[in-house]
Structure formats: structure tokens, C-alpha cells
Amino acid sequence: MPSCDNCGASLELDDAFCPGCGSAVGRSEAAPAAPPERICPTCGVTLSPDEVFCTACGGVVDAPEQPPEAEPRQAAVRGDGGEESTWDEVLEQLREVTRGRFEIEGEIGAGGMAAVYLGHELALNRKVAIKVMSPGWLMEKGMLERFKQEAVTIAALKHPNIITVHGVEHYGQLHFFVLDFIEAGSLEGTINQYGQLPIPVVSAWLTQIG
């Protein structure tokens, strides 16, 4: 029970004046509310207020709103000597041979051997990634077998951190396989946004990759 600072008389919580000496009862300012507890949505670990990444699992916590992404690229010059017109043609061929099954929305990314397109699988109403081999590599010895073997290898692995292959197809000179589409940013984009990553986060990510 509180007491009067002036005479020491006992006070009720709602007393504005002391019943013993009549002096006004001073009220201390309310303590500032503690910040809400922050919990990692991925693994449930309690986080400090200033942590952007969970140091237990590497997940991004309360990430700031991302700027809108640019429209997917549909054609670009490749390092293997391919030209824009070649990849425009590949994209049109892919749309034609998958018509009625997939809607091809655009390019996600590309490497030296293939380009990956974002597709919408109509029957299952889900997004998929479709990896298409570069036509320029078809004449190179062993490259087609290497491309097919990549799909076989991925399909043989079962792990939460490994995507699933849903099918391997080819129509004439067009070779591709259909994969899970993971809606997440790239490592490059994360580093560009946050800068150097904390060592515990890097360690957590490498452990999951390994």
C-alpha cells in the first residue's frame, strides 16, 4: 500500500490528498511499456529488439517492405553467344508446347547453360519454375546428357531444403524440366539490402545448405 511522502500516512490507490496532512499526493509517471517480445516465426526463438535475422535459423524477421520487383526479363544476351532473338523464339516455343497446361509469365533468371521461367500450372493452380536448356549447347558433346542428369539427380534427393522435380520433357530441340517455385529473394538481393550478414546467420544458412 502506498504512503504519503510528507507524513507517512497510509494512502488508498485513488487518494488525491493525504488523509493525515492534507497534502496533494504526488503520482510518479507510469513506467514506459516494455517492447513486445519478438519471436522468430520460423523456429520460435526469442529475439532481441534490434535483430533483423534470427541467429538460430537465419530467418529474416520483420523484414522491411520490399520495393516492387521489376517485370521478369524475357530475353537477354547470354554469355554462350546466344542472341535476344534466339531466346525470344525459345520463350514462344515454350508457351506453344505448354499451352493449356502452363501459362508462362516471364523469365526468373538465367545462367550459361539454361534460362528459368515462371509458370502457372493451370490444373493444380500453382506456380512452378521451368528450366529450359540453351539451344546453343545442344551441339556440344555431352551437354544434353548433363542437363538431363541434373534433373535425375535432384529428383533422387528428398530433403526439405531441396526443391522437387515434377517432370522432364522435350519437344524437338526444346528441352526443359519443371521444378518447385520458391517465392523468396536471392542471396545477392539480401546482401544488397542488409549489407554484411552476421556470422551466426551465415553459419546457420551454410549448415542448412550443407
Side-chain angles (χ1 to χ4, degrees):
M1 179 177 291
S3 59
C4 175
D5 294 334
N6 187 44
C7 69
S10 297
L11 303 172
E12 297 295 333
L13 292 178
D14 57 351
D15 285 342
F17 296 92
C18 174
C21 66
S23 61
V25 176
R27 301 295 184 192
S28 58
E29 294 184 1
E37 188 178 44
R38 300 177 72 245
I39 303 294
C40 174
T42 302
C43 68
V45 168
T46 301
L47 306 169
S48 64
D50 59 344
E51 285 182 327
V52 176
F53 296 92
C54 174
T55 55
C57 70
V60 179
V61 183
D62 296 336
E65 185 176 348
Q66 299 284 342
E69 295 186 0
E71 290 295 319
R73 295 178 296 120
Q74 295 188 357
V77 177
R78 307 291 179 223
D80 58 16
E83 296 180 352
E84 291 186 13
S85 59
T86 300
W87 283 96
D88 283 338
E89 184 178 343
V90 167
L91 179 57
E92 289 308 311
Q93 288 177 357
L94 181 63
R95 283 179 168 148
E96 182 62 31
V97 301
T98 61
R99 192 179 307 278
R101 295 190 298 139
F102 300 98
E103 289 181 353
I104 310 302
E105 299 182 13
E107 184 183 290
I108 299 172
M113 188 177 183
V116 181
Y117 296 94
L118 174 60
H120 177 215
E121 189 172 6
L122 300 176
L124 298 177
N125 190 27
R126 64 179 178 182
K127 291 182 177 181
V128 294
I130 302 177
K131 186 170 185 177
V132 183
M133 183 177 181
S134 168
W137 287 108
L138 288 176
M139 301 306 295
E140 297 290 334
K141 183 179 179 180
M143 294 305 293
L144 179 56
E145 288 72 18
R146 176 180 167 185
F147 182 75
K148 292 179 179 178
Q149 186 59 44
E150 178 183 343
V152 172
T153 301
I154 296 173
L157 300 173
K158 303 296 182 183
H159 190 275
N161 292 349
I162 299 176
I163 59 176
T164 300
V165 174
H166 299 296
V168 180
E169 303 183 35
H170 74 91
Y171 297 86
Q173 300 298 302
L174 193 67
H175 296 263
F176 62 91
F177 48 91
V178 182
L179 305 153
D180 286 335
F181 172 69
I182 307 299
E183 295 195 62
S186 66
L187 177 59
E188 179 182 14
T190 300
I191 293 174
N192 288 340
Q193 181 175 356
Y194 296 105
Q196 183 173 337
L197 303 178
I199 290 177
V201 171
V202 175
S203 177
W205 286 3
L206 289 177
T207 298
Q208 293 173 43
I209 293 170

